Amino acid sequence: MRRRLLLVLWLTALTLQGFATAQEADVVYVDGIAYALLARPIAQNETLFQSLQGLIDKEKGPRTSNWDGFKGYWTIANGQLLLDSVGYVSKKGDGYAMLDKRSFNHIFKAYLKHGHVVAKWVSGTLRYGRGDLVRYVHDGFDRNYVQETMADVLNGNVTKQRTFRNEKLAGLSPMQLFHPDSIENHIPLADIPELEGHSIVLQARLFPSSWGQMADSCRVEIMRMWPDSLSLSAQKRLKEIVVSSLVSVYPWEQYHIDGECRMAVPSFFFKLNGWRETRGRIYEVCDTMPEFPGGQQAMFKFLIDRLRWPAVAMESCGQWKVVIQFVVEADGTLSCPQLVRRTDVPFEIEALKVWRQLPRFKPAIKDGRPVRCRFAVPIKFRT
């Protein structure tokens, strides 16, 4: 019975996803410039919406990019939202036909004032934009342009407007991180020997920091295991290691949208394949420990020369300390950074920036051969 219910829910989700499609925006003019209005404000009034649908029903053609079959042309002027005209999808398939003036005035007669339709039925926050697309989801109005304005509207009066410049910030994507050839650059899978012989699907959700391209926190859940025999303690340790690794990633691929930081992919599924051989055991103590070229004093000088005070904390005074633990691979390259001592995010970001500049180390030696070994570097900020 349970399997049958899950199958029904899955098929329902697929059906709904099949109907999801991006919708064409309304148009709003501000100071003579046309913007994409990412809403259908006429639909806020059910009576107007049904009257309009009844009038154009026999005239409009089908278009999946506009399920409503019409779009409004608006103006923001003198602190008011005005509806200038309405177009409907032409049956000829050549764009939009305009609703004639007589029909337009008849439908919106209750809102006509000095020859203009004042949209007094509209309240809430409207979003309009122009320029290149920064972010796009093939569903409704879920997209963002380079320039966007959030307009607060109350009974047709535009009470406040805030304009933003949106951008996509380059960084690491989940697909790059969890690629089989690169996953051990970020997650020390060898620390979980119980993973061997298992295939595990997990879901991660990242919560962005407001300071930069890092995750403030992360939630990880195991969704499925083959075979289902990993102990609870091993599952817990696996999740802890993955969380610690993901919150230590910098920089994540991110959006800066309408004044807020958003992860490009905030939630994702990934698979850990315990059938694949890891790079080998990670040692804590070796006969010869890893070494920065030139020794410890050279490393501290390297850090001091490159460490920068966070721009957002220029007026801060005091002392901050970040400890980054990582793996020195058998070839001397560095991998799997983890913030084992944390502080304010801006200082963590600067510490990780410097860590990314570190050169190859002399690898650890055990029993006469180079091996993987854990290493930690303290990074201090002082005023």
Side-chain angles (χ1 to χ4, degrees):
M1 179 66 183
R2 185 171 179 270
R3 287 184 179 179
R4 201 174 287 176
L5 177 60
L6 288 173
L7 178 61
V8 170
L9 291 173
W10 181 68
L11 290 173
T12 302
L14 284 180
T15 303
L16 291 173
Q17 189 177 14
F19 280 106
T21 184
Q23 295 296 287
E24 293 181 32
D26 277 18
V27 178
V28 61
Y29 289 88
V30 182
D31 297 328
I33 300 173
Y35 295 83
L37 177 58
L38 297 163
R40 202 79 77 208
I42 291 173
Q44 284 195 23
N45 186 306
E46 184 65 21
T47 301
L48 292 176
F49 180 79
Q50 293 299 335
S51 297
L52 184 57
Q53 289 284 12
L55 186 66
I56 66 175
D57 189 52
K58 294 181 180 179
E59 302 297 328
K60 70 178 182 181
R63 182 176 291 189
T64 56
S65 60
N66 189 334
W67 291 112
D68 296 322
F70 67 85
K71 64 192 297 184
Y73 296 83
W74 309 77
T75 297
I76 293 178
N78 301 318
Q80 290 185 313
L81 179 64
L82 309 174
L83 179 60
D84 302 320
S85 58
V86 173
Y88 58 90
V89 178
S90 171
K91 276 186 175 180
K92 298 178 181 178
D94 56 352
Y96 285 83
M98 301 308 296
L99 190 66
D100 64 88
K101 197 67 175 178
R102 181 179 177 183
S103 299
F104 176 81
N105 288 342
H106 175 74
I107 292 175
F108 297 98
K109 61 184 177 182
Y111 301 96
L112 272 171
K113 185 177 181 181
H114 306 305
H116 298 285
V117 173
V118 182
K120 289 188 173 294
W121 71 90
V122 177
S123 290
T125 300
L126 299 179
R127 181 167 57 93
Y128 61 86
R130 66 192 299 262
D132 294 335
L133 277 172
V134 172
R135 172 181 166 274
Y136 176 83
V137 178
H138 196 62
D139 184 15
F141 301 110
D142 193 4
R143 56 189 181 269
N144 296 94
Y145 295 89
V146 168
Q147 180 184 331
E148 285 191 352
T149 298
M150 309 288 281
D152 295 337
V153 182
L154 180 63
N155 299 326
N157 294 308
V158 181
T159 58
K160 185 179 180 180
Q161 296 196 74
R162 305 171 302 286
T163 298
F164 302 93
R165 185 170 182 82
N166 299 327
E167 60 179 334
K168 184 176 182 179
L169 305 174
L172 193 68
S173 71
M175 185 177 295
Q176 293 170 314
L177 190 150
F178 290 105
H179 190 279
D181 294 334
S182 60
I183 186 169
E184 286 192 270
N185 292 337
H186 309 280
I187 300 177
L189 296 181
D191 283 346
I192 319 163
E194 301 94 334
L195 183 62
E196 185 177 352
H198 289 78
S199 189
I200 303 177
V201 175
L202 302 96
Q203 182 182 24
R205 181 163 183 81
L206 303 174
F207 300 92
S209 165
S210 57
W211 295 108
Q213 293 174 257
M214 285 188 69
D216 250 349
S217 60
C218 173
R219 185 180 300 141
V220 172
E221 297 295 338
I222 295 176
M223 307 305 292
R224 192 169 181 184
M225 294 186 292
W226 301 274
D228 190 9
S229 58
L230 199 64
S231 69
L232 291 177
S233 60
Q235 292 181 42
K236 180 181 178 183
R237 196 150 59 90
L238 169 62
K239 291 194 288 186
E240 287 173 348
I241 289 172
V242 171
V243 167
S244 178
S245 299
L246 295 184
V247 297
S248 301
V249 169
Y250 176 84
W252 278 108
E253 186 178 52
Q254 213 174 60
Y255 292 109
H256 196 255
I257 298 291
D258 299 335
E260 296 180 354
C261 294
R262 299 186 192 177
M263 291 294 180
V265 185
S267 181
F268 51 88
F269 294 90
F270 60 97
K271 183 179 179 181
L272 298 182
N273 185 0
W275 300 96
R276 183 185 174 99
E277 187 175 352
T278 70
R279 294 176 183 173
R281 177 180 171 182
I282 302 169
Y283 290 89
E284 304 290 337
V285 179
C286 294
D287 302 333
T288 303
M289 293 298 287
E291 186 180 42
F292 182 90
Q296 190 177 53
Q297 292 305 313
M299 181 179 72
F300 288 142
K301 184 179 186 305
F302 181 96
L303 296 173
I304 291 169
D305 289 346
R306 287 161 178 78
L307 198 60
R308 298 290 179 266
W309 196 266
V312 296
M314 282 300 181
E315 297 182 4
S316 300
C317 297
Q319 180 173 308
W320 289 261
K321 183 178 180 180
V322 180
V323 178
I324 302 177
Q325 181 177 270
F326 53 95
V327 175
V328 178
E329 299 288 345
D331 65 356
T333 57
L334 311 183
S335 66
C336 303
Q338 292 187 324
L339 298 166
V340 294
R341 175 165 175 172
R342 305 199 63 176
T343 184
D344 297 335
V345 172
F347 295 95
E348 293 178 345
I349 289 175
E350 292 305 318
L352 285 168
K353 283 181 180 178
V354 173
W355 178 84
R356 285 160 56 90
Q357 298 176 50
L358 288 171
R360 287 191 181 206
F361 278 43
K362 294 179 181 178
I365 302 295
K366 188 173 181 64
D367 298 330
R369 62 184 181 88
V371 294
R372 307 177 78 198
C373 185
R374 212 177 305 279
F375 196 86
V377 171
I379 298 177
K380 296 179 181 179
F381 296 82
R382 289 194 184 99
T383 51

